[in-house]
Amino acid sequence: MATIEDFLAVDMRVGRVLQAEEFPEARKPAYKLTIDFGPLGIKKSSAQITALYRPEELVGRLVVAVVNLPPRRVAGFPSEVLVLGVPDEKGDVVLLQPDREVPLGVRVF
């Protein structure tokens, strides 16, 4: 079983998508996201969310992401945060997001 300390080690924060663009270089369909985390700054992420979302629908949307993982390079693109989602019945990713406005960068707990 995980402890509360294990859970708190995963730093999940709320950010707002500033930019979303196609990522044709990725092996699996994905978007390049630019996300504003308020006091934590602007971070980039590669997200495999193309089945349910269009880039223009993502701009302005609040998302939840893990911000304290080491950056990964995805097809040469530096993915700095892991945007969180859950699979629907078809396996397509549904984004996790607050259901109302909250301050950017606020920690999820």
Side-chain angles (χ1 to χ4, degrees):
M1 298 203 82
T3 65
I4 190 67
E5 290 79 18
D6 294 331
F7 175 76
L8 292 174
V10 179
D11 191 0
M12 295 176 282
R13 303 285 180 136
V14 174
R16 184 178 310 281
V17 177
L18 298 177
Q19 184 176 8
E21 59 185 287
E22 303 282 341
F23 191 6
E25 301 86 4
R27 278 185 297 200
K28 294 182 180 178
Y31 296 133
K32 293 179 185 179
L33 303 179
T34 303
I35 306 168
D36 183 358
F37 289 96
L40 296 172
I42 295 173
K43 308 284 185 188
K44 302 218 179 260
S45 183
S46 169
Q48 295 175 1
I49 55 174
T50 59
L52 299 178
Y53 303 96
R54 304 284 313 137
E56 59 274 9
E57 298 169 335
L58 293 167
V59 174
R61 182 182 292 258
L62 292 177
V63 294
V64 175
V66 177
V67 299
N68 67 335
L69 296 173
R72 293 181 27 192
R73 291 201 75 73
V74 178
F77 177 75
S79 188
E80 302 170 293
V81 299
L82 176 64
V83 175
L84 299 178
V86 294
D88 66 10
E89 66 281 347
K90 292 191 246 174
D92 297 329
V93 177
V94 177
L95 289 171
L96 294 183
Q97 66 181 40
D99 68 351
R100 60 193 67 204
E101 286 294 315
V102 296
L104 298 181
V106 71
R107 186 164 183 161
V108 176
F109 56 91

